[in-house]
């Protein structure tokens, strides 16, 4: 008997993607510039509770002075001078494994969640690959849950649950970790309420380089 696993959804998990000094420098910059980061708004349909995000739907993810947040940190935090290139390098290495090539980091944003906040289910279409880097989390922080794209799975009861028939799968990330995933896969915090003060994560999307050139 041959077992063929069809339609799998690979997710790349990279521990300690960031040097801890880089992470601490970003977190310190956010704290030292509280006049900017405390005024972040919310985006309808993404989160609830004390939930702040560095863009609005109508400004195409732009942050301060027209930058995306990855560009902002690269240009304004000395320890982050290679930040954008490091992210692009990992996209170059992992994108082919996930079924793409010639992808380039496009928009990016930062999310700051306080206690009693939660991430709602959403996806990142029309992006191709997306990623999230964890900057300030602890044991009280909410996990990230990814959902099986086969929504008919929930109609069945399985005696043994595995990666092929589970409804969702959760990661409990650590500071400096990076998760890369296909942008179409839905994710949230599964209604679990975050209990960390200033849970900070940085997210980004990527598109084909040819498409970016034509826009």
């Amino acid at each position: 008997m041959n077992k063929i696993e069809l339609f799998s959804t690979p997710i790349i998990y990279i521990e300690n993607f960031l040097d801890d000094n880089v992470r601490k420098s970003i977190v310190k910059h956010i704290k030292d510039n509280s006049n900017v980061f405390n005024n972040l708004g919310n985006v309808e349909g993404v989160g609830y509770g004390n939930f702040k995000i560095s863009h609005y739907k109508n400004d195409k993810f732009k942050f301060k002075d027209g930058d995306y947040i990855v560009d902002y940190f690269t240009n304004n935090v000395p320890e982050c001078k290679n930040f954008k290139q490091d992210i692009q390098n990992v996209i170059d290495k992992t994108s082919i494994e996930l079924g793409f090539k010639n992808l380039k980091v496009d928009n990016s944003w930062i999310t700051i969640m306080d206690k009693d906040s939660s991430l709602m289910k959403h996806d990142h279409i029309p992006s191709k690959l997306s990623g999230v880097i964890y900057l300030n989390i602890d044991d009280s922080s909410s996990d990230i849950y990814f959902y099986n794209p086969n929504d008919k799975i929930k109609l069945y009861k399985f005696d043994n649950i595995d990666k092929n028939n589970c409804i969702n799968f959760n990661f409990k990330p650590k500071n400096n970790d990076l998760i890369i995933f296909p942008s179409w896969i839905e994710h949230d915090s599964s209604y679990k309420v975050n209990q960390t003060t200033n849970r900070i994560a940085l997210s980004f999307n990527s598109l084909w380089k040819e498409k970016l050139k034509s826009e």
Side-chain angles (χ1 to χ4, degrees), residues 4-9 164:
I4 302 173
E5 294 189 7
L6 296 175
F7 316 126
S8 63
T9 304
N164 296 307

Short mmCIF file of all heavy atoms in Angstrom, two decimals, residues 4-9 164:
data_model
loop_
_atom_site.label_atom_id
_atom_site.label_comp_id
_atom_site.label_asym_id
_atom_site.label_seq_id
_atom_site.Cartn_x
_atom_site.Cartn_y
_atom_site.Cartn_z
N ILE A 4 -0.22 8.49 -0.43
CA ILE A 4 0.12 9.72 -1.14
C ILE A 4 -0.55 10.89 -0.42
O ILE A 4 -1.77 10.93 -0.29
CB ILE A 4 -0.35 9.67 -2.60
CG1 ILE A 4 0.28 8.47 -3.31
CG2 ILE A 4 -0.01 10.96 -3.33
CD1 ILE A 4 -0.24 8.24 -4.70
N GLU A 5 0.24 11.82 0.07
CA GLU A 5 -0.32 12.98 0.77
C GLU A 5 -0.58 14.09 -0.25
O GLU A 5 0.36 14.69 -0.78
CB GLU A 5 0.63 13.45 1.86
CG GLU A 5 0.79 12.44 2.99
CD GLU A 5 1.55 13.00 4.17
OE1 GLU A 5 1.82 14.21 4.17
OE2 GLU A 5 1.87 12.22 5.08
N LEU A 6 -1.84 14.36 -0.52
CA LEU A 6 -2.22 15.35 -1.52
C LEU A 6 -2.55 16.70 -0.88
O LEU A 6 -3.00 16.76 0.27
CB LEU A 6 -3.46 14.86 -2.29
CG LEU A 6 -3.29 13.60 -3.13
CD1 LEU A 6 -4.64 13.19 -3.73
CD2 LEU A 6 -2.27 13.81 -4.23
N PHE A 7 -2.31 17.75 -1.64
CA PHE A 7 -2.80 19.09 -1.30
C PHE A 7 -2.29 19.58 0.05
O PHE A 7 -3.02 20.21 0.82
CB PHE A 7 -4.33 19.13 -1.31
CG PHE A 7 -4.93 18.44 -2.50
CD1 PHE A 7 -5.88 17.45 -2.33
CD2 PHE A 7 -4.54 18.77 -3.78
CE1 PHE A 7 -6.44 16.81 -3.43
CE2 PHE A 7 -5.09 18.14 -4.89
CZ PHE A 7 -6.04 17.16 -4.71
N SER A 8 -1.06 19.30 0.37
CA SER A 8 -0.50 19.76 1.64
C SER A 8 -0.24 21.26 1.58
O SER A 8 -0.10 21.85 0.51
CB SER A 8 0.79 19.02 1.96
OG SER A 8 1.76 19.29 0.98
N THR A 9 -0.17 21.88 2.75
CA THR A 9 0.07 23.32 2.86
C THR A 9 1.31 23.54 3.72
O THR A 9 1.21 23.58 4.95
CB THR A 9 -1.15 24.02 3.49
OG1 THR A 9 -2.31 23.73 2.73
CG2 THR A 9 -0.93 25.53 3.51
N ASN A 164 -3.23 16.17 8.45
CA ASN A 164 -4.04 16.12 7.23
C ASN A 164 -5.53 16.30 7.49
O ASN A 164 -6.27 16.68 6.58
CB ASN A 164 -3.81 14.79 6.50
CG ASN A 164 -2.40 14.66 6.01
OD1 ASN A 164 -1.88 15.52 5.32
ND2 ASN A 164 -1.74 13.56 6.38
#
